[in-house]
């Protein structure tokens, strides 16, 4: 019996060691995707600087069933961002955002870089488009500058000032409750979103049909102005009470 227990324990230890060694052997994105079926641009992801610091928050939306989320980054921003060998795997754990509906990585790089986020789904490796960090040259602006029009009962309209620089690719909006649960997640090309009118929504990560809002209740609105290279120019966060 003791011999049997020893064998079982030995198998478990060897198995765990082999798994860890396999993960550790992945050095570059090129290593990781070699011989695998991949889909580029399949992971929705972007990055922002955190407040007035040089810390970078890299956000992603993991599709249902996504596993093995990985973070890869280049040495700096001068490398060719299309060469997978320039991206090294960084062994980071992602953190929950909106109670896990989204995820994020937090890093404190001393230079600007390119980032690619990956996960596995349906036997394929899904990759984000390259994300250019700009925490030194163009830190993300955080404010609460959004106009909320509640003339239409329980269908507030959110509008905000467009980016004067003109490098906005898309706007991402989240409506959440006071417990930080995501109610709706939408993307528009216009600087306008109305809950829950999807006529100008170009991408939607809302699962199912969201609930009707409740009168005289606190909600939170979050906006991200995302540039062509997936850097977040602006983050707006505003709490409001439905009328």
């Amino acid at each position: 019996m003791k011999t049997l227990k020893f064998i079982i324990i030995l198998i478990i230890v060897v198995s765990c060691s082999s798994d860890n060694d396999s993960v550790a052997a992945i050095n570059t994105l090129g290593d990781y995707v070699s011989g695998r079926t991949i889909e580029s641009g399949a992971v929705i992801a972007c990055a922002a600087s955190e407040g007035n610091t040089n810390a970078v928050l890299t956000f992603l939306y993991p599709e249902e069933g996504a596993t093995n989320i990985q973070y890869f980054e280049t040495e700096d921003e001068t490398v060719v961002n299309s060469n997978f060998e320039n991206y090294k795997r960084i062994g980071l754990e992602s953190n929950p955002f909106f109670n896990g509906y989204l995820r994020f990585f937090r890093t404190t790089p001393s230079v600007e870089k390119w980032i690619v986020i990956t996960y596995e789904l349906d036997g394929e490796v899904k990759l984000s488009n390259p994300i250019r960090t700009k925490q030194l040259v163009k830190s993300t602006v955080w404010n609460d500058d959004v106009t909320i029009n509640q003339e239409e009962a329980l269908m507030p309209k959110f509008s905000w000032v467009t980016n004067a620089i003109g490098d906005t690719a898309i706007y991402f909006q989240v409506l959440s409750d006071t417990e930080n649960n995501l109610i709706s997640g939408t993307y528009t090309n216009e600087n306008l979103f109305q809950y829950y009118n999807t006529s100008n929504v170009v991408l939607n990560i809302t699962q199912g049909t969201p609930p009707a809002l409740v009168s005289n209740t606190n909600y939170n609105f979050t906006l991200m102005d995302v540039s062509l290279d997936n850097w977040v120019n602006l983050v707006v966060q505003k709490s409001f009470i439905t009328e």
Side-chain angles (χ1 to χ4, degrees):
M1 183 64 70
K2 289 184 179 179
T3 302
L4 180 58
K5 287 183 178 178
F6 176 77
I7 292 173
I8 292 173
I9 292 172
L10 181 61
I11 290 172
I12 293 172
V13 170
V14 171
S15 176
C16 291
S17 298
S18 298
D19 290 343
N20 290 336
D21 290 343
S22 178
V23 172
I26 300 171
N27 185 39
T28 69
L29 181 56
D31 293 336
Y32 181 45
V33 302
S34 178
R36 307 285 300 274
T37 300
I38 69 171
E39 182 181 2
S40 297
V43 177
I44 299 174
C46 60
S49 56
E50 184 180 33
N52 295 321
T53 73
N54 287 336
V56 172
L57 304 175
T58 303
F59 303 96
L60 73 139
Y61 167 62
E63 293 182 75
E64 185 175 356
T67 61
N68 198 21
I69 300 171
Q70 298 283 345
Y71 176 101
F72 294 85
E73 67 177 20
T74 63
E75 184 175 354
D76 57 38
E77 84 285 1
T78 65
V79 303
V80 177
N81 67 7
S82 59
N83 186 343
F84 290 170
E85 294 301 327
N86 288 330
Y87 292 87
K88 292 191 175 181
R89 187 182 71 86
I90 308 298
L92 299 175
E93 292 292 331
S94 63
N95 304 288
F97 187 45
F98 293 113
N99 292 329
Y101 201 104
L102 306 180
R103 311 285 302 180
F104 76 92
F105 294 94
R106 187 182 188 276
T107 57
T108 54
S110 59
V111 298
E112 296 179 344
K113 301 172 181 282
W114 290 95
I115 296 168
V116 167
I117 303 298
T118 69
Y119 57 67
E120 297 180 24
L121 181 66
D122 298 332
E124 295 183 345
V125 179
K126 310 290 186 177
L127 287 73
S128 73
N129 287 321
I131 303 164
R132 167 70 155 88
T133 70
K134 300 178 185 177
Q135 73 276 14
L136 301 180
V137 299
K138 190 181 181 185
S139 59
T140 304
V141 175
W142 296 69
N143 62 38
D144 62 355
D145 294 341
V146 59
T147 299
I148 305 176
N149 182 330
Q150 299 200 62
E151 292 180 358
E152 194 168 350
L154 303 180
M155 294 187 66
K157 293 180 181 179
F158 306 92
S159 60
W160 52 92
V161 177
T162 57
N163 180 358
I165 298 175
D167 65 345
T168 299
I170 204 164
Y171 297 107
F172 175 48
Q173 312 91 26
V174 169
L175 196 72
S176 58
D177 62 22
T178 54
E179 295 181 350
N180 209 31
N181 295 307
L182 185 145
I183 299 172
S184 71
T186 51
Y187 289 80
T188 66
N189 290 324
E190 299 177 90
N191 58 325
L192 172 70
F193 170 70
Q194 180 179 23
Y195 186 88
Y196 183 66
N197 181 346
T198 60
S199 60
N200 69 334
V201 170
V202 295
L203 180 61
N204 197 338
I205 63 169
T206 310
Q207 294 179 0
T209 302
L213 301 185
V214 179
S215 180
N216 197 33
T217 301
N218 286 286
Y219 293 96
N220 301 311
F221 176 76
T222 302
L223 167 76
M224 293 186 186
D225 173 334
V226 185
S227 69
L228 293 169
D229 46 18
N230 300 300
W231 179 249
V232 178
N233 299 311
L234 169 71
V235 176
V236 173
Q237 294 176 310
K238 180 86 169 181
S239 297
F240 68 99
I241 300 175
T242 49
E243 298 176 356

